[in-house]
Amino acid sequence: MTLLIGTDSGLYRADDVPFERDELDPVLDCGVVTAVKSWDHTEGVFVASSTGAYRSLDGGETWTDLEVPLGDRFWHAGQSQVWSILATADGALYAGTNDPYIFRSVDGGETWTEQKGFRELPSRGHWESPIDPHYARLRALETVPGRPDTLIAGVEAGGIHVSRDGGRTWTDHRDAIVDDVHQVLPISEDVWLAATGYLDHDLENLGLGHAVGEGGLWRTTDAGESWDRLDVGSDFSYIRRVFVHDGRVIFCGGEEAPPAWVNDDHEVALFESTNFGRDFERVSFPGEPHEIIETWAVHDGDVLCGSGLFDVPDERDDVEGRIMRRVDGEGVDDESDEGDGGEGDGDPTYETVGRVDANVSRIEVV
């Protein structure tokens, strides 16, 4: 099985895990990778990035530019970026950009049409990104299991919004959850998880400071009508992504938002839950206390994850990306320096299985 590794300096390909640094192949020069995704119902694998969206039909060896409309809308990094991409079972493709806009293609990416109903959401005038006050980012774009016409859009920073007609019209749900939405993960028709950060427009407009919001890991059981926070009381509530596998919920949280990551003025922690969020246990991993884990995948039955300091305001050249593998505690060498996973009592641990010359933002197995 092939592992695709998205970084803040393009896309790499590993033919096996573990791997050595010189065994990685750079396969796509696309700047900052914001998504790498594939679906059972759609041929190929897709990448969203700062230079556009791409598709590969040969396991990541070659790529075709899908030419998502980016326009000339200026923001802090220049032109617009593609932050999210989605393929639905009816053959449609969707792409989310900053500003943000949603585009739809029904011919495999040959042509794109803006879903203008997304512009009409009442709260749109209050959206903004953490860096550029004019253009928010559409970080999350998902479909709901069992409801193929229901789409979920998560805006950084502008809340969560829902369409029930394939993206033509949208319902504004900003007031149901915090503004700074990084990821939405649908588990079933009505149960979804959301990973969020600290930007809160209302608090900021009151003069209480930048990135002083609640953040946290949230769950809805009524398809986004209302949300409850699962990690109440945690100091590590700046969360980029959450992962669910075999009934286990896993997330990595930071004490501070990315401005503090630049000078390592932050700490992070990795948590796991086996009862769907009623309780979380902290798990040690290589790269503590500063590397942020924000991507997971399953490779040959093993959970892999990737870390770095992705998306900091001022890029650093002294931070490398890391690929790790989760190992159940039984049989783990307690003398290993690859993370203090327990005392041999069955607690999980994480081991480094590869290093990358850039921060790891997304991984996908193909």
Side-chain angles (χ1 to χ4, degrees):
M1 303 178 75
T2 297
L3 179 67
L4 296 178
I5 304 171
T7 74
D8 56 11
S9 185
L11 185 75
Y12 294 81
R13 187 174 186 265
D15 290 328
D16 203 0
V17 176
F19 59 85
E20 298 295 330
R21 195 186 305 257
D22 60 5
E23 294 175 332
L24 287 177
D25 293 322
V27 291
L28 183 60
D29 182 10
C30 59
V32 177
V33 175
T34 54
V36 186
K37 302 185 77 171
S38 61
W39 296 267
D40 291 340
H41 54 66
T42 301
E43 185 180 8
V45 59
F46 297 80
V47 163
S49 75
S50 58
T51 64
Y54 305 85
R55 183 181 194 174
S56 173
L57 298 175
D58 56 12
E61 291 188 16
T62 61
W63 295 84
T64 300
D65 189 341
L66 295 176
E67 298 184 353
V68 173
L70 296 182
D72 57 0
R73 300 183 300 277
F74 178 82
W75 72 315
H76 81 282
Q79 286 189 330
S80 287
Q81 302 181 6
V82 181
W83 284 89
S84 52
I85 193 156
L86 171 68
T88 54
D90 61 0
L93 300 177
Y94 296 84
T97 68
N98 62 284
D99 206 14
Y101 294 117
I102 297 177
F103 296 93
R104 182 174 186 259
S105 174
V106 295
D107 54 13
E110 293 293 327
T111 59
W112 295 86
T113 303
E114 184 193 344
Q115 301 299 97
K116 294 184 178 180
F118 194 66
R119 287 196 193 189
E120 300 171 359
L121 286 167
S123 67
R124 186 181 180 92
H126 299 282
W127 305 352
E128 63 181 59
S129 84
I131 297 175
D132 190 308
H134 302 292
Y135 302 124
R137 305 161 173 170
L138 208 160
R139 272 198 183 265
L141 195 54
E142 300 288 346
T143 190
V144 175
R147 295 176 180 169
D149 290 331
T150 299
L151 305 181
I152 312 168
V155 179
E156 182 195 39
I160 288 175
H161 311 281
V162 178
S163 171
R164 292 181 172 83
D165 56 11
R168 289 185 291 276
T169 63
W170 292 82
T171 302
D172 197 314
H173 287 274
R174 180 193 171 213
D175 291 339
I177 195 170
V178 298
D179 283 325
D180 198 359
V181 177
H182 296 152
Q183 179 202 15
V184 182
L185 179 62
I187 306 300
S188 67
E189 292 186 4
D190 297 317
V191 179
W192 315 337
L193 299 177
T196 69
Y198 290 151
L199 188 60
D200 185 303
H201 297 319
D202 294 332
L203 294 178
E204 189 165 355
N205 291 336
L206 290 173
L208 298 181
H210 179 73
V212 294
E214 184 175 357
L217 179 65
W218 297 77
R219 178 178 64 196
T220 177
T221 58
D222 54 15
E225 296 294 328
S226 62
W227 294 81
D228 295 308
R229 186 174 166 190
L230 296 180
D231 65 324
V232 174
S234 172
D235 293 329
F236 302 93
S237 53
Y238 183 93
I239 304 170
R240 280 289 177 79
R241 294 181 71 79
V242 59
F243 181 69
V244 177
H245 178 64
D246 281 349
R248 190 179 303 269
V249 180
I250 307 173
F251 76 90
C252 182
E255 288 183 307
E256 304 291 342
W261 302 358
V262 175
N263 299 313
D264 290 336
D265 295 329
H266 71 293
E267 290 191 5
V268 305
L270 178 65
F271 297 92
E272 297 189 0
S273 173
T274 56
N275 54 20
F276 207 66
R278 288 194 297 274
D279 303 287
F280 283 95
E281 296 292 333
R282 184 171 177 175
V283 181
S284 185
F285 69 96
E288 288 182 301
H290 300 310
E291 291 181 23
I292 299 290
I293 299 175
E294 61 170 274
T295 182
W296 288 263
V298 178
H299 180 276
D300 284 340
D302 295 325
V303 172
L304 302 183
C305 56
S307 68
L309 292 180
F310 177 71
D311 197 32
V312 296
D314 299 311
E315 291 186 14
R316 293 172 49 172
D317 58 9
D318 63 330
V319 178
E320 299 176 317
R322 184 192 306 266
I323 301 296
M324 290 164 277
R325 176 167 54 200
R326 184 185 183 278
V327 182
D328 288 330
E330 295 180 5
V332 173
D333 180 4
D334 292 335
E335 300 301 318
S336 170
D337 62 358
E338 294 291 1
D340 181 15
E343 301 297 329
D345 57 359
D347 291 339
T349 190
Y350 285 74
E351 61 182 11
T352 299
V353 292
R355 300 303 300 266
V356 188
D357 288 335
N359 299 307
V360 175
S361 56
R362 298 291 182 267
I363 59 175
E364 182 79 354
V365 175
V366 294

